[in-house]
């Protein structure tokens, strides 16, 4: 792994912090009071890094208070690891400041691009899976890990179209990145379901080809259904609904392969009540507990 002066345990971003292999929630400020009053809070929280790149204010106050109580996972959406140009040094510096301030137990980013020629697109766009893209993403991952002094986790994307020509499947591409850079993997199970449905792929075969040994966090989320151009339903990863039953089943299949893994309920649009969010986390925890029992009995 290309990280100087840093030897945390597997999947940990800092030497003194590691996400527990239990269920956590994505934190939203509207839930702050309920979360603080919860006698049995989730195992960890996660926030989008870009929402905390200011110097202070209410967001930092709440996050500072919560960080004293719970492990923190930082989830980036703006590095544009697959972008054709270099990483934005200002954005990377702000991210490094945030990591130093909160010492998160994990930091993750997406396998996607969102910048080109100095312009930012408010979307996570797909890559062509070829040698040039692989070299570029690995170079950027190395740069992030060197700058932050930690092992980052790379999230598999949700996609709605694919390039006609490529030399790697998505799992092969991700496995090559993990092998070359030493980064870990954030396995978004909803993204697996969405992408495999949209491209008519077998999710079990997809998982079989993934480097599941490198999974150090899992995301679960809801999705929406839209009408595709071919008349079939197109699934949209909108994080705006309860986790679908097909995703719950796929999650259990993943845990049967990996054993217990830190698992986050991600809900970013149509934000629900705190009680509903906790119900989803409780269901995820039940699956994690079952996986732990199966592992102990094996």
């Amino acid at each position: 792994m290309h990280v100087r002066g840093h030897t945390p345990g597997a999947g940990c971003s800092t030497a003194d912090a590691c996400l527990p292999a239990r269920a956590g929630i994505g934190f939203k400020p509207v839930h702050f009071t309920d979360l603080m009053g919860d006698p049995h809070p989730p195992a960890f929280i996660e926030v989008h890094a870009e929402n905390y790149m200011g110097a202070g204010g209410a967001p930092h106050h709440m996050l500072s208070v919560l960080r004293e109580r719970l492990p923190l996972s930082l989830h980036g959406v703006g590095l544009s690891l697959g972008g054709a140009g270099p990483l934005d040094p200002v954005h990377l510096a702000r991210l490094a400041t945030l990591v130093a301030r909160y010492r998160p137990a994990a930091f993750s980013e997406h396998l996607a691009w969102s910048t080109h020629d100095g312009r930012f697109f408010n979307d996570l766009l797909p890559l062509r899976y070829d040698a040039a893209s692989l070299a570029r993403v690995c170079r950027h991952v190395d740069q992030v890990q060197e700058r932050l002094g930690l092992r980052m986790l790379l999230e598999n994307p949700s996609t709605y179209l694919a390039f006609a020509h490529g030399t790697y499947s998505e799992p092969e591409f991700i496995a090559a990145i993990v092998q070359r850079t030493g980064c870990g993997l954030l396995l978004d199970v909803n993204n697996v379901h969405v992408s495999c449905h949209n491209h008519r792929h077998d999710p079990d075969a997809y998982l079989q080809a993934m480097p599941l040994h490198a999974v150090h966090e899992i995301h679960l989320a809801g999705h929406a259904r839209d009408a595709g151009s071919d008349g079939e339903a197109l699934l949209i990863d909108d994080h705006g609904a309860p986790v679908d039953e097909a995703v719950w089943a796929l999650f259990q299949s993943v845990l049967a392969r990996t054993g217990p893994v830190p698992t986050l309920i991600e809900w970013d649009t149509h934000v629900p009540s705190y009680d509903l969010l906790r119900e989803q986390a409780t269901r995820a925890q039940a699956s994690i507990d079952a996986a732990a029992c199966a592992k102990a009995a094996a």
Side-chain angles (χ1 to χ4, degrees):
M1 179 177 63
H2 304 286
V3 180
R4 298 190 186 106
H6 178 69
T7 55
C12 304
S13 73
T14 59
D16 61 352
C18 204
L19 287 179
R22 297 182 61 79
I25 62 170
F27 169 67
K28 295 293 181 284
V30 69
H31 295 146
F32 178 73
T33 300
D34 287 328
L35 182 54
M36 288 296 295
D38 191 340
H40 303 290
F44 65 97
I45 57 169
E46 184 169 282
V47 299
H48 287 171
E50 285 74 12
N51 290 338
Y52 294 86
M53 287 186 172
H60 278 292
H61 168 72
M62 286 186 280
L63 190 58
S64 296
V65 171
L66 290 172
R67 180 64 184 88
E68 293 297 317
R69 300 185 67 204
L70 298 167
L72 171 67
S73 175
L74 283 180
H75 190 48
V77 298
L79 275 176
S80 192
L81 293 173
L87 297 180
D88 181 348
V90 174
H91 187 92
L92 188 54
R94 288 172 176 164
L95 181 58
T97 297
L98 190 63
V99 167
R101 180 173 186 171
Y102 288 104
R103 294 185 62 79
F107 168 72
S108 54
E109 248 289 0
H110 299 79
L111 177 60
W113 62 277
S114 55
T115 56
H116 185 69
D117 286 342
R119 289 174 291 178
F120 178 80
F121 304 97
N122 190 27
D123 207 341
L124 296 167
L125 300 167
L127 287 73
R128 185 198 302 271
Y129 295 140
D130 59 17
S133 294
L134 178 61
R136 182 169 64 252
V137 172
C138 288
R139 182 169 64 251
H140 289 163
V141 169
D142 283 342
Q143 184 180 349
V144 171
Q145 294 188 135
E146 291 282 358
R147 182 68 177 82
L148 302 184
L150 53 77
R151 173 187 288 116
M152 66 166 287
L153 307 181
L154 185 67
E155 179 180 342
N156 56 296
S158 60
T159 56
Y160 313 98
L161 54 85
F163 287 91
H165 302 289
T167 52
Y168 297 87
S169 69
E170 186 169 282
E172 289 171 341
F173 192 82
I174 291 173
I177 296 169
V178 169
Q179 194 278 326
R180 291 191 187 188
T181 69
C183 74
L185 179 60
L186 189 166
L187 183 68
D188 191 310
V189 179
N190 185 62
N191 287 357
V192 173
H193 175 70
V194 165
S195 295
C196 287
H197 172 91
N198 290 341
H199 300 301
R200 310 298 187 262
H201 293 160
D202 177 6
D204 191 67
Y206 179 101
L207 291 172
Q208 190 69 29
M210 285 287 275
L212 296 183
H213 67 278
V215 174
H216 298 299
E217 186 179 347
I218 288 173
H219 275 185
L220 300 175
H223 56 258
R225 302 176 73 88
D226 201 354
S229 59
D230 59 359
E232 295 290 333
L234 181 73
L235 301 187
I236 308 296
D237 179 43
D238 71 343
H239 299 177
V243 178
D244 190 85
E245 290 301 323
V247 176
W248 283 118
L250 198 58
F251 174 51
Q252 292 177 339
S253 177
V254 169
L255 291 179
R257 293 169 162 96
T258 63
V261 175
T263 300
L264 183 89
I265 301 297
E266 203 176 20
W267 201 322
D268 297 319
T269 62
H270 310 297
V271 176
S273 68
Y274 181 75
D275 288 343
L276 178 52
L277 192 61
R278 289 292 285 118
E279 286 175 10
Q280 294 276 283
T282 298
R283 182 169 177 179
Q285 187 60 55
S287 293
I288 295 169
D289 291 342
C293 290
K295 183 178 180 180

